[in-house]
Amino acid sequence: MDKPVRILVVDDEDTLCEIMRLNLEIEGYDADVAHSAEEALELNLKDYSLILLDVMMGEMSGFDMARIMRHNPETAKIPIIFLTAKDTEDDMVAGLGIGGDDYIAKPYSVRNVMARVKALLRRTANTFENNNILRVGTLEVDMTQKICRLDGEPVKMPRKELELLGLLMGNPGKLFSREEILAKIWPEEVIVLNRVVDVNITRLRSKLGAYGKLIMTRSGYGYGFQI
């Protein structure tokens, strides 16, 4: 018999915690709750398969807790879904940049949350089975099948764009100069202008929606993928 999936709900609203726990258990998951980030960090987080994490809490926010988890090797890869009243695109990008895997704005339906939980657990299982899948939130690059998906839908992307995105996502936080990118992505070309890199970065950003903002530019240094 398969081991039940354990999910932790972290929110300072008691009623919401209990609603989430009840519905997760109805879906067959083992669910626990914590009413603050501090309380959650006292738990053995590595035993959980997924964290449902509120952003706006007491002294420590959900973003702060996520940063701590991502810097701890034992919890760095645990999927996190942010649940928050902050629903601007910049807030979503910030949450994904910290290391969140999905972002659901309040008010939300329990049905929507359960669907997101199931989808994220499926994606996580596929990622562990195939190390060539790069994923941030609902953006995936499968370097084996040579395909990019956004919200589960394929994104039309030429080979060089896909390879460039894979290079950046596969090295989060690392800055690549234009010269380094040209050497890695266009090694067979005799003459390629630096402008080619800029053009491909612009095209990628336009295709990736909010995730395009995670492709960062550092003047005088180059490009990278924000973490």
Side-chain angles (χ1 to χ4, degrees):
M1 183 176 179
D2 292 337
K3 182 180 178 181
V5 174
R6 294 189 69 190
I7 296 175
L8 176 64
V9 181
V10 186
D11 199 303
D12 56 3
E13 296 182 36
D14 292 351
T15 301
L16 188 147
C17 282
E18 291 308 314
I19 291 173
M20 287 292 106
R21 172 163 37 193
L22 175 60
N23 281 272
L24 288 167
E25 290 177 346
I26 289 173
E27 294 292 335
Y29 305 118
D30 282 351
D32 296 321
V33 301
H35 298 101
S36 68
E38 293 87 345
E39 181 182 338
L41 289 171
E42 292 294 322
L43 302 174
N44 198 3
L45 293 179
K46 69 178 186 296
D47 290 341
Y48 291 97
S49 302
L50 185 147
I51 310 290
L52 289 169
L53 180 56
D54 186 30
V55 173
M56 304 295 289
M57 291 186 283
E59 292 186 11
M60 181 182 292
S61 72
F63 283 173
D64 291 333
M65 177 178 163
R67 288 189 185 96
I68 292 172
M69 290 179 61
R70 292 304 182 236
H71 284 89
N72 181 343
E74 291 189 334
T75 59
K77 294 186 178 181
I78 298 174
I80 296 173
I81 297 178
F82 285 119
L83 305 175
T84 177
K86 302 178 70 176
D87 61 353
T88 69
E89 183 177 278
D90 287 343
D91 292 325
M92 184 190 78
V93 170
L96 296 172
I98 289 166
D101 296 274
D102 205 347
Y103 194 100
I104 307 175
K106 298 178 180 179
Y108 46 75
S109 70
V110 172
R111 182 180 180 184
N112 181 30
V113 175
M114 294 303 113
R116 299 284 193 96
V117 166
K118 291 178 182 178
L120 180 53
L121 289 172
R122 283 196 302 269
R123 294 201 308 269
T124 303
N126 290 337
T127 300
F128 286 138
E129 291 170 4
N130 187 345
N131 292 328
N132 288 319
I133 295 179
L134 306 170
R135 176 174 54 81
V136 175
T138 58
L139 172 63
E140 295 181 359
V141 176
D142 188 327
M143 299 306 293
T144 299
Q145 296 186 9
K146 307 300 182 185
I147 188 170
C148 174
R149 297 183 182 89
L150 181 60
D151 298 328
E153 297 296 324
V155 178
K156 188 175 182 180
M157 195 171 289
R159 180 168 66 92
K160 294 299 185 182
E161 286 183 19
L162 183 72
E163 291 177 356
L164 176 54
L165 181 58
L167 173 67
L168 299 180
M169 287 183 65
N171 297 274
K174 177 179 172 59
L175 288 173
F176 291 92
S177 68
R178 289 178 177 84
E179 291 73 21
E180 288 176 312
I181 292 174
L182 288 173
K184 292 177 181 294
I185 306 300
W186 285 271
E188 73 281 4
E189 303 293 338
V190 178
I191 300 177
V192 180
L193 300 177
N194 285 350
R195 181 63 180 160
V196 170
V197 176
D198 301 336
V199 169
N200 278 270
I201 290 290
T202 299
R203 289 174 178 168
L204 281 175
R205 284 176 172 151
S206 69
K207 292 179 179 181
L208 300 181
Y211 292 95
K213 293 185 177 182
L214 296 181
I215 299 176
M216 57 185 178
T217 304
R218 293 290 181 268
S219 180
Y221 294 95
Y223 296 104
F225 199 84
Q226 180 180 333
I227 55 174

